[in-house]
Amino acid sequence: MNQTIMLLPSITMAFFFLMVVRTCNSVDTIAVYQNITDGETIVSENEIFEMGFFSPGSSKNRYLGIWFKNASPHTVVWVGNRKTPLTNTLGIVKLDSHGILSLYDGSGSVIWSSHSSASGINVNPSAQLLDTGNLVIQDGNILSKKIFIWQSFDYPGDTFISGMKLGKNLITGREIYLSSWRSADDPSPGEYTVGYLMVKGKYPQVYIRKRSVIETRMGPYNGIAFAGQPNYKLNPVYIYKGDMVLNQKEMYFMYTFSSTTLLLRHITTPGGKLEVWHLNMHNQEWMQDLTFPQDNCDNYGLCGPYGSCSTVTFPNCGCLKGFELKNPEELNPGNWTSGCRRSRALDCGPAEGFLMFSSMKLPDTQNAEFDGNMSLQECEVACNNNCSCTAYANPNISSGSVGCLQWFGDLIDVRMYPQNGQDLYVRLAASEVLGSKKGSLEVPLFSLSTISRATNNFSIDNKLGEVGFGPVYKGVLEEGQEIAVKRLSKFSTQGLDEFRNEVICIAKLQHRNLVKLLGYCIQGHETMLVYEYMPNKSLDWFIFDDLRRSLLDWPQRFHIIHGIARGLLYLHQDSRLRVVHRDLKAGNVLLDCDMNPKISDFGLARMFKGHESEANTKKVVGTLGYISPEYAANGFFSVKSDIFSFGVLMLEIVSGKKNRGFVHEDHHDNLLGHAWRLYKEGKSLDLIDASLDKSWPVSEVLRSIHIGLLCVQQRAEDRPDTQSVVRMLGGEDLLPSPKQPGFFIQGSECDLTKNISLPSSLNGVTVSEIIDGR
Ligand SMILES: *[C@@H]1O[C@H](CO)[C@@H](O)[C@H](O)[C@H]1NC(C)=O
Ligand SMILES: *[C@@H]1O[C@H](CO)[C@@H](O)[C@H](O)[C@H]1NC(C)=O
Ligand SMILES: *[C@@H]1O[C@H](CO)[C@@H](O)[C@H](O)[C@H]1NC(C)=O
Ligand SMILES: *[C@@H]1O[C@H](CO)[C@@H](O)[C@H](O)[C@H]1NC(C)=O
Ligand SMILES: *[C@@H]1O[C@H](CO)[C@@H](O)[C@H](O)[C@H]1NC(C)=O
Ligand SMILES: *[C@@H]1O[C@H](CO)[C@@H](O)[C@H](O)[C@H]1NC(C)=O
Ligand SMILES: *[C@@H]1O[C@H](CO)[C@@H](O)[C@H](O)[C@H]1NC(C)=O
Ligand SMILES: *[C@@H]1O[C@H](CO)[C@@H](O)[C@H](O)[C@H]1NC(C)=O
């Protein structure tokens, strides 16, 4: 009771003092040796913040604090003597000549003071409470430079307001984080902290921790919001601009808030929630904007590694696509601690890829590396090139996909939002990626400028040749990958969607004996296909050259025949598209660095035909010497026309001679007719290329010639199907006797097809053309 009586005069004095000071000036400033006693306050220039002594909640203890001047209820943003309360009202605050602000208790002992690293003699220091809520101590001399000897913003309590930094000084190691009060009555540090957890070299992010245990992760800041609060939609009447700074010296998050009528604060509650409130200065009431954690999925790592949490499913936990429960038997509802594992192990093979997950909370970045300069594309390449990289993402939404986060290790604390999350790209085994992209296989679209650069502006030096539907150029992409670019000369730009669909279809045809389609380009009047580059050119470059044909020994030739047959079988039967090539020939069999054959130009005829039926076409695509009789005569094509071309090719590989243009002193037959003659005379072995040394296995050569003759029989129905060809090549079974081949007399293609008008450009023997067959 005594105390109350004693208080009254001091309060009265305080008001008196305030009135006096106010009429002088600088009610917001404490000068050296000026005393602030309990009951007195200083107020920032525009009366937004006030500093003085207060008692929190129902406590009687006295604390030095800063609060919003005109808020109801009384809202403290900063406390000086958090851990050392005064038990009476005898506290005095004083600034000494060194610029240190001290709080003395009634007996004259210092119970709290502003520590400062800026030592030395300060001339005429002063302490000032700014309108931002920051209490700053400045040196009289360097006032103009705005260098603070000390500022309360560096020592936050539970409240984060505009202009404060949350982060770490990387040089001194000092961290700035929020810590909850113990209770509403006790501002001493409680169990919860909100702040960055810095792992050296990793990307920083904000957590709420209970002592050292992570409770929830707000995540990295993405330029617009924290990853853990993507739907943090603030009231549109105010402008909230967050900024994360990461450099050699410091790392911090701060926000600036501009409004003339509203104030904003983030507060860490004693119960471990981060709450955002705004104050309407007209009615002086606080309104809550957000509380975090918000839902079950905000529990840190709830679903374990590679698990993903969603509040719209039950249970909330699930595995990311491509992953399955690690311990399905141990699972008890609600406990997903052990999480998920890959359904298919990674083998670091070239076909591994990334699956994009949209609207995600990016995984914990404690094991993620950051590069602020990489584009998303560069990010993918980098992650793809390092087998331990499990995922990548662009952390910064506002920068337009610049900046790269790469994860090394498990993906933890992932959740899926109904909207507004971020894109995450997770590495998966090849089969998973293909399976997941069912029907929408991505085929890269190259820009014309990329291809121009790669091919040196389609320079003549880069031209590989002119086969099929246009010239082919060699190119090198910026990453160093060699490509072959086919510039489609005859393609009209009308059916671009059709073209694109066709490209996607063709890109799905993947077999080790087919040349891989890497992408395409549509720009202006140009349509191009980009293939992998084959260093050993094409089969015709070897077998029809007097010198080079000796480089191909019999085992290699047989291997090539086999490979072509398997590629053809895939096209005819094993692929879902059932493609008839229609222009199989030595020039369309390319050779990789190990001399494996790869069929090229498959699907092109299909692409040019559009919707025409398989049975009939007005236009004949093909190359003289390889065209089957029924195709040349009636435009009738089927897998059996490809088999005919394959038979021609086999005989060419065995003999090293071209079917068309074949000359023999004894007769006018072409290669097929010649082979037929020798077969009937039992002298088939005479057909074999003289440049081969004599070590070839007789039975294999004879068998190859025999199968070749079966394939070129006049009537399509007599020819074996592709599967039989592959079986015959691999087996020892007796073969049926071949009947007379089609087109065995030189030039007979033309004789039989009088009504085909051949374009004059057809003089070149290996040039394919679209022959108008009307
Ligand atoms: C400040 O308080 C001290 C006692 O703590 C007193 O000696 C001193 O005179 C006071 N100074 C002013 C300017 O009131
Ligand atoms: C969840 O399961 C793990 C072991 O699988 C166990 O260590 C943990 O205590 C369990 N947690 C809960 C909340 O049941
Ligand atoms: C990004 O590029 C700028 C300028 O080229 C450079 O100063 C900076 O160090 C780079 N940052 C990183 C993380 O590589
Ligand atoms: C992959 O990245 C990790 C982490 O940066 C690094 O330690 C490792 O050396 C890299 N591996 C390769 C093959 O580059
Ligand atoms: C995000 O990008 C914007 C625009 O480039 C940049 O100003 C900001 O600092 C970036 N933020 C982060 C967290 O990288
Ligand atoms: C390629 O062509 C473009 C435009 O025609 C020209 O600007 C560029 O210099 C050329 N580049 C080369 C390597 O010839
Ligand atoms: C095939 O290409 C590879 C790689 O370019 C080369 O080393 C090899 O000699 C070539 N083979 C032949 C028979 O030319
Ligand atoms: C010519 O065309 C007609 C109809 O397109 C076809 O019936 C005929 O078989 C073709 N060949 C000859 C040699 O007339």
Side-chain angles (χ1 to χ4, degrees), residues 353-356 432-442:
F354 295 91
L355 191 61
M356 186 180 92
E432 293 287 344
V433 178
L434 287 176
S436 306
K437 289 185 179 171
K438 235 174 272 142
S440 66
L441 187 74
E442 297 278 328

Side-chain angles (χ1 to χ4, degrees), residues 202 369 385-389 408:
K202 307 300 181 195
E369 285 176 14
N385 287 346
N386 187 327
C387 297
S388 17
C389 178
F408 296 92

